[in-house]
Amino acid sequence: MAVTRQQLMACLDELLQPHQLNDYCPNGLQVEGTDTIKHLVTGVTASQALIDRAISENADALLVHHGYFWKGENPALVGIKAQRIRQLLGNNINLIAYHLPIDVHPKQGNNVQLGELLGFKNLAPLPSLKPNGIVYSADTAKPVRAGELHAHIATQLGRAVLHEGDKNAIVKTVAWCTGGGQGYIEQAAQAGVDAFITGEVSEQTIHIAREMNIHFYAAGHHATERYGVKAVGEWVGSKLPVTVQFIDIDNPA
Ligand SMILES: [Zn+2]
């Protein structure tokens, strides 16, 4: 049971079509390790804790949603970035990262996976936003009170969720963007949905929610983005002779 790095990358690129998106980081192979891959570890962010786990699990490759080399950051390999990359290279582990391609993918993407986890119906990308699929909208499984939706999201994600709005109001339609998508709340309100869900909250998000009369839920950047990379890994495991293991490093943010 093994594949070459080239076979793995070809499989991922075919699924995720990274060349179609203009992203804030390089998508694909970010740090080159061994040519032969038997064990693939997946996780949300290439933090030191995830690298340590990948090493202890004998990973040949680590596939993440949040890799390195973001636009605007100091490109020098110093500090924690040097430490992380030294460990990857020293252990011959490939680091593979896909950012927007994992957010927007119509099956394995973060947005679709979260919508399915929450049991929404009639999922569709909110039109006119680029890239297509960055915000999704849907109907709730049935009309629910905003407070019930709050409890439902918290149960499904296993964490506390922030809700702004009247908990007794009825919610029938939702829009969402996993991760740090709070900037899309105005577009969601303009699209006429009852509620907007994302990972993070900013001070101004609450005022926009109140003044545009839309329910707002912040359910955690990490918690809302666990499911895309996990699904991509499972898909790879169904296509290629590699073992795949998702490792969740808890993050309250
Ligand atoms: Zn993210």
Side-chain angles (χ1 to χ4, degrees), residues 22-36:
N22 210 344
D23 212 330
Y24 314 98
C25 64
N27 284 310
L29 185 65
Q30 290 194 337
V31 178
E32 188 176 293
T34 178
D35 286 333
T36 307

Side-chain angles (χ1 to χ4, degrees), residues 2-246:
V3 293
T4 65
R5 185 197 317 112
Q6 262 173 322
Q7 285 173 309
L8 175 62
M9 294 315 304
C11 181
L12 284 166
D13 281 343
E14 191 192 322
L15 177 74
L16 296 168
Q17 302 283 313
H19 56 277
Q20 302 209 6
L21 292 159
N22 210 344
D23 212 330
Y24 314 98
C25 64
N27 284 310
L29 185 65
Q30 290 194 337
V31 178
E32 188 176 293
T34 178
D35 286 333
T36 307
I37 292 152
K38 297 190 194 108
H39 190 49
L40 172 67
V41 164
T42 62
V44 179
T45 300
S47 63
Q48 188 65 54
L50 183 60
I51 293 167
D52 291 344
R53 288 289 308 279
I55 293 167
S56 69
E57 299 291 341
N58 280 320
D60 302 303
L62 178 58
L63 170 68
V64 296
H65 178 50
H66 300 140
Y68 305 148
F69 313 118
W70 299 91
K71 253 179 214 166
E73 76 176 20
N74 178 4
L77 297 184
V78 297
I80 64 171
K81 188 156 61 167
Q83 174 63 15
R84 291 165 170 185
I85 291 172
R86 187 182 299 122
Q87 293 249 289
L88 288 166
L89 290 172
N91 288 278
N92 228 1
I93 297 175
N94 294 280
L95 177 68
I96 304 162
Y98 291 88
H99 178 235
L100 288 176
I102 285 188
D103 286 321
V104 304
H105 191 274
K107 283 207 178 78
Q108 282 82 13
N110 278 324
N111 279 336
V112 167
Q113 290 288 319
L114 182 67
E116 288 177 355
L117 180 77
L118 296 176
F120 297 150
K121 303 287 175 226
N122 307 318
L123 277 63
L126 209 64
S128 81
L129 285 177
K130 293 274 174 271
N132 190 46
I134 193 68
V135 178
Y136 263 75
S137 67
D139 301 322
T140 53
K142 58 178 175 32
V144 285
R145 292 196 191 281
E148 288 166 0
L149 181 59
H150 185 192
H152 173 64
I153 300 168
T155 302
Q156 291 302 307
L157 296 181
R159 56 158 286 149
V161 170
L162 176 150
H163 169 231
E164 176 59 33
D166 172 5
K167 65 183 191 320
N168 291 313
I170 299 294
V171 175
K172 293 180 187 164
T173 55
V174 290
W176 68 97
C177 171
T178 63
Q182 65 269 47
Y184 290 111
I185 187 173
E186 289 186 70
Q187 284 95 331
Q190 279 156 5
V193 295
D194 300 324
F196 181 66
I197 303 164
T198 189
E200 296 187 18
V201 59
S202 300
E203 192 270 353
Q204 64 194 31
T205 320
I206 301 301
H207 302 296
I208 297 167
R210 289 174 182 164
E211 291 168 39
M212 295 189 82
N213 197 27
I214 182 169
H215 290 271
F216 175 72
Y217 299 88
H221 190 135
H222 173 85
T224 57
E225 296 203 317
R226 278 183 210 130
Y227 304 96
V229 72
K230 182 168 186 282
V232 170
E234 286 164 4
W235 184 86
V236 168
S238 75
K239 297 280 171 196
L240 294 177
V242 288
T243 52
V244 181
Q245 177 184 12
F246 175 72

